[in-house]
Amino acid sequence: MAETAKKYDRFSKFYDLFEALIESRAFSKYRKKALSLAKGKVLEIGVGTGKNLPYYPKDVEVIGIDFSKGMLEKAEKRKKELGIKNVRLLLMDAQNLEFEDNSFDTVVSTFVFCTVPDPIKGLKEAYRVLKPGGKAILLEHMKSRSKLLNVPLYLMDPVMRALTGTSMIRETQKNIEKAGFKIEKVENLFSDIVRLIIATKPSGD
């Protein structure tokens, strides 16, 4: 985890520029759609440079965590520039969340579980801190069901792993289920490579 954090510390200076085109053309719309569903006390895992911050409803209370100091510095700057008051940012590892069980009404991740070194461990932590009946909003890219669409993903995978520790070919939807979540809805946003997944923690847990 520490090695991946170091990569993001170095990359944080260029991260927003690196993603600027795809962010303006597609990702910003996806974020707006996903975050409109957040309610109550919210945990955002992997807040990064704070790209989600403008899209949260004004009546939610957000704690955003990230394992990279460099990324959090960018997020703090964005939060200040936007005058956002309902978000608190903390340095924390997604695989070892420092919160009590059943603490949050909503858990959010956007393009995060492609990078968490042990994604199932991270997702189980998300499950643990989510209240029974709570909602997980996961906007993630992942391996396609199409062999043809996977060709460029496999080609990009070694480059992205070296650059940021990101896997282009994770089966994140399956990992979400393995962590115990009940998937309520899956919306394919960019073919089935980018998916908006709404999942819940059953109220009996």
Side-chain angles (χ1 to χ4, degrees):
M1 196 69 167
E3 184 58 38
T4 307
K6 286 178 185 176
K7 288 180 179 180
Y8 272 89
D9 285 342
R10 292 192 294 267
F11 196 44
S12 62
K13 300 176 183 66
F14 318 104
Y15 187 79
D16 286 347
L17 183 62
F18 179 75
E19 287 198 334
L21 183 60
I22 195 165
E23 185 67 32
S24 63
R25 295 282 181 88
F27 285 2
S28 60
K29 290 183 291 186
Y30 302 161
R31 293 179 197 280
K32 188 174 183 179
K33 184 183 187 74
L35 295 166
S36 68
L37 303 172
K39 293 180 180 178
K41 188 175 180 182
V42 180
L43 173 65
E44 181 177 340
I45 297 173
V47 72
T49 61
K51 290 180 181 179
N52 289 332
L53 300 189
Y55 305 113
Y56 277 108
K58 295 291 187 283
D59 61 345
V60 299
E61 175 193 349
V62 182
I63 296 177
I65 68 147
D66 205 283
F67 64 174
S68 164
K69 290 180 182 178
M71 300 292 270
L72 279 176
E73 285 170 7
K74 295 282 187 181
E76 284 284 7
K77 183 180 178 183
R78 179 168 285 169
K79 175 187 161 185
K80 188 175 180 180
E81 287 173 350
L82 294 170
I84 292 171
K85 306 293 186 185
N86 62 333
V87 176
R88 187 156 56 104
L89 301 173
L90 300 172
L91 183 67
M92 198 178 298
D93 178 0
Q95 297 176 172
N96 294 284
L97 296 175
E98 298 165 27
F99 304 110
E100 293 183 1
D101 297 357
N102 311 323
S103 296
F104 295 91
D105 302 293
T106 308
V107 171
V108 169
S109 77
T110 61
F111 310 110
V112 169
F113 284 102
C114 50
T115 301
V116 176
D118 186 338
I120 294 177
K121 184 176 181 183
L123 285 161
K124 283 183 175 179
E125 277 290 272
Y127 185 92
R128 179 181 67 77
V129 303
L130 187 63
K131 292 178 182 177
K135 183 183 294 182
I137 303 166
L138 305 114
L139 174 60
E140 299 282 349
H141 68 76
M142 62 198 77
K143 185 178 178 181
S144 173
R145 295 184 182 91
S146 162
K147 290 182 180 179
L148 185 62
L149 289 176
N150 282 332
V151 171
L153 300 184
Y154 274 99
L155 292 173
M156 292 166 65
D157 192 62
V159 176
M160 293 305 296
R161 281 182 185 273
L163 189 63
T164 63
T166 296
S167 170
M168 302 300 294
I169 51 174
R170 281 206 176 146
E171 297 188 73
T172 300
Q173 186 171 330
K174 290 182 180 178
N175 289 342
I176 291 166
E177 291 179 299
K178 286 176 183 176
F181 287 101
K182 180 183 178 185
I183 292 180
E184 301 287 348
K185 182 181 178 183
V186 179
E187 186 173 349
N188 295 334
L189 298 175
F190 182 77
S191 183
D192 66 340
I193 296 171
V194 178
R195 304 177 200 173
L196 174 58
I197 299 173
I198 309 301
T200 57
K201 178 176 182 174
S203 55
D205 281 22

